[in-house]
């Protein structure tokens, strides 16, 4: 569904998990197959098949790491 959303909306979707010691870790990134990237949205994944939050990448978040 993240790939479909990225392609349908023409956005990059970055998926994050909360870190045990605070902050967030990016665990996946989905880019649209066609078109020009205009925005990035972030979603919070907390296990299972459920995404708990979504935010525009232009909004500041606590420290973010990458895998």
């Amino acid at each position: 569904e993240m790939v479909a959303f990225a392609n349908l909306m023409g956005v990059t979707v970055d998926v994050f998990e909360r870190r045990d010691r605070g902050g967030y870790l990016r665990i996946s990134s989905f880019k649209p197959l066609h078109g020009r990237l205009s925005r990035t949205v972030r979603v919070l994944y907390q296990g299972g098949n459920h995404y708990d939050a979504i935010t525009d990448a232009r909004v500041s978040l606590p420290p973010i790491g990458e895998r």
Side-chain angles (χ1 to χ4, degrees):
E1 64 227 4
M2 292 298 118
V3 172
F5 181 79
N7 285 317
L8 180 65
M9 302 304 292
V11 298
T12 297
V13 178
D14 288 341
V15 180
F16 292 86
E17 284 184 326
R18 279 198 178 99
R19 300 177 75 171
D20 290 338
R21 295 182 181 156
Y24 298 87
L25 176 68
R26 186 174 70 181
I27 59 171
S28 297
S29 185
F30 303 94
K31 295 182 180 0
L33 296 176
H34 305 288
R36 180 174 67 108
L37 297 178
S38 60
R39 292 176 63 184
T40 298
V41 295
R42 297 172 174 154
V43 295
L44 178 63
Y45 176 74
Q46 293 187 338
N49 289 323
H50 183 72
Y51 296 90
D52 292 315
I54 186 168
T55 183
D56 190 309
R58 295 174 289 186
V59 176
S60 295
L61 292 177
I64 294 173
E66 295 186 32
R67 263 192 199 168

